[in-house]
Amino acid sequence: MRLAVLGRPNAGKSSLINALVGEQRLIVSEVAGTTRDSVDVTVIRNGKRYVFVDTAGVRKRTHITDGLERFSVSKALGSAKRAEVAVVVIDATGGIGVQDKRLIAYLDKERTPFLVAVNKVDTIPQSAMGKLRQDIQDELKICPHVPVLYISAMKNKGVGKVLPMAEAIRKECQIRVGTGAINRAMREVLDKHQPPMISGRRAKFYYLTQAAEAPPTFVFFVSDVDRVRDSYARYLENGLRKLFGIKMAPVKVVFRASHTPKDERNA
Ligand SMILES: Nc1nc2c(ncn2[C@@H]2O[C@H](COP(=O)(O)OP(=O)(O)OP(=O)(O)O)[C@@H](O)[C@H]2O)c(=O)[nH]1
Ligand SMILES: [Mg+2]
């Protein structure tokens, strides 16, 4: 499994990989910008090969002046695309910042499978943990499926949960459902709440199919793509998630125009 580790400079990305590997393989320092390029670290665990991709800290674009750094940020995002699962490391000391949110929004938009690891919790007093959790949860409202771990790479706390969670996300990404089963299951969801009436008409849903895995991609063939609103798309996505047990992975829902009510032919 290929796992990319991303986050702001100094968040503890290299420290996390060292903790996962159980060795000081990467240089860690309090100077932000230590890792300047993507680095692969390979380990064998329980007979399985893991490649951890350390990346350069992702910073606000306006702050990036030198060419090398601009290059490393785009490489970091590229590494996330090539990985099966990405881990976004957030520094708990500073809380979730604008740049973290941008990175998360980007990964979500790209439908990248990822988890969030809030690092350096050893520096947070127990009394402040509740607020931190609440803040993080609020900021992740745009992608409520993304799981969050609270860890300390330095004290090796919670680090053991990263790989099992990444494996679980990957497994969800590999789900495969047959067209017959998915149409039978979704009929109920579609009938329970019909698409809203827009300008006197509502979109007719003919049939759907799973078009791809990793991430699971579902294509709905509908009479009228323009009459499917975001809220209804979210309702369908949630229906699919519930039916097929996709809790943490991204799901892609696509609507395509069709005039062929295939389900009627099959009926
Ligand atoms: N208290 C505390 N400090 C940590 C933890 N993890 C990392 N650090 C410290 O944070 C600093 C940055 O750690 P790195 O692992 O180099 O961070 P990075 O994200 O790889 O940084 P860049 O490569 O510069 O982007 C170092 O001084 C680490 O010792 C942690 O869990 N707790
Ligand atoms: Mg680093």
Side-chain angles (χ1 to χ4, degrees), residues 187-249:
R187 195 73 263 171
E188 207 173 303
V189 176
L190 285 161
D191 288 344
K192 193 168 170 201
H193 287 289
Q194 289 202 0
M197 195 80 100
I198 290 163
S199 321
R201 277 171 63 190
R202 59 175 113 242
K204 254 207 176 92
F205 281 71
Y206 296 130
Y207 73 107
L208 77 147
T209 180
Q210 183 179 356
E213 299 167 35
T217 304
F218 301 95
V219 181
F220 286 86
F221 290 90
V222 291
S223 60
D224 220 322
V225 177
D226 294 342
R227 282 186 169 79
V228 183
R229 291 288 151 87
D230 285 353
S231 55
Y232 198 68
R234 268 197 302 277
Y235 166 70
L236 294 177
E237 178 186 324
N238 286 333
L240 287 162
R241 285 184 177 283
K242 268 197 210 116
L243 281 169
F244 302 111
I246 310 170
K247 296 192 188 83
M248 300 181 288

Side-chain angles (χ1 to χ4, degrees), residues 9-15 29-30 33-35 119-120 122 152-154:
N10 237 22
K13 302 175 293 297
S14 302
S15 303
S29 96
E30 65 288 348
T34 306
T35 308
N119 188 33
K120 309 193 189 181
D122 57 289
S152 167
M154 195 186 233

Side-chain angles (χ1 to χ4, degrees), residues 67-83:
L68 174 64
E69 192 167 8
R70 190 173 301 138
F71 175 69
S72 5
V73 169
S74 58
K75 268 197 95 172
L77 300 176
S79 300
K81 270 197 182 153
R82 281 188 306 277

